[in-house]
């Protein structure tokens, strides 16, 4: 295995683990209940890491759960704040926004 392939696999592993953490239907259901109890009609899963996780298995499983529970959702672009001294390679990534 070449270094680039190993690095790609390491990055994919981190992204998969992160997606599995933030897209758990039980966790999302609890968060939706909490914001609905406060009178809100939408919930955005705010990611701490700027990755496009929309194609992960965890995201697809959550989308299936949201469909079964009759929620509406959309992947909204999130822009990164750029540091003048250190421009970022990634400028935007999608986050999941859920409506009811």
């Amino acid at each position: 295995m070449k270094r680039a392939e190993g690095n790609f696999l390491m990055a994919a592993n981190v992204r998969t683990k992160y997606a599995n953490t933030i897209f758990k239907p039980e966790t999302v259901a609890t968060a939706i209940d909490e914001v609905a109890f406060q009178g809100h009609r939408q919930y955005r899963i705010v990611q701490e890491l700027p990755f496009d996780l929309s194609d992960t298995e965890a995201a697809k499983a959550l989308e299936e759960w949201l469909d079964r529970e009759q929620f509406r959702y959309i992947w909204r672009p999130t822009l990164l704040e750029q540091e003048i001294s250190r421009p970022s390679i990634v400028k935007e990534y999608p986050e999941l926004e859920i409506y009811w």
Side-chain angles (χ1 to χ4, degrees):
M1 177 184 315
K2 299 290 183 185
R3 181 175 295 274
E5 183 182 3
N7 289 347
F8 179 87
L9 292 173
M10 282 189 286
N13 186 40
V14 168
R15 291 169 186 233
T16 299
K17 286 180 180 178
Y18 185 55
N20 290 341
T21 301
I22 66 172
F23 295 139
K24 286 183 183 174
E26 304 82 23
T27 304
V28 173
T30 300
I32 288 172
D33 290 345
E34 288 174 3
V35 297
F37 184 73
Q38 297 171 3
H40 299 282
R41 296 191 327 185
Q42 67 185 38
Y43 173 69
R44 186 174 189 136
I45 299 175
V46 178
Q47 296 177 203
E48 294 178 16
L49 303 173
F51 302 141
D52 181 354
L53 303 174
S54 61
D55 286 333
T56 62
E57 291 299 317
K60 291 177 192 301
L62 179 59
E63 287 177 344
E64 290 174 10
W65 178 84
L66 291 168
D67 289 337
R68 281 194 310 272
E69 297 296 323
Q70 299 181 342
F71 286 101
R72 294 175 292 137
Y73 57 90
I74 188 168
W75 289 92
R76 294 243 187 239
T78 300
L79 299 176
L80 291 175
E81 292 185 23
Q82 301 269 334
E83 294 180 27
I84 295 172
S85 62
R86 187 175 159 203
S88 176
I89 296 171
V90 178
K91 296 191 174 42
E92 72 177 41
Y93 60 96
E95 288 184 334
L96 187 61
E97 195 164 278
I98 304 162
Y99 304 90
W100 53 91

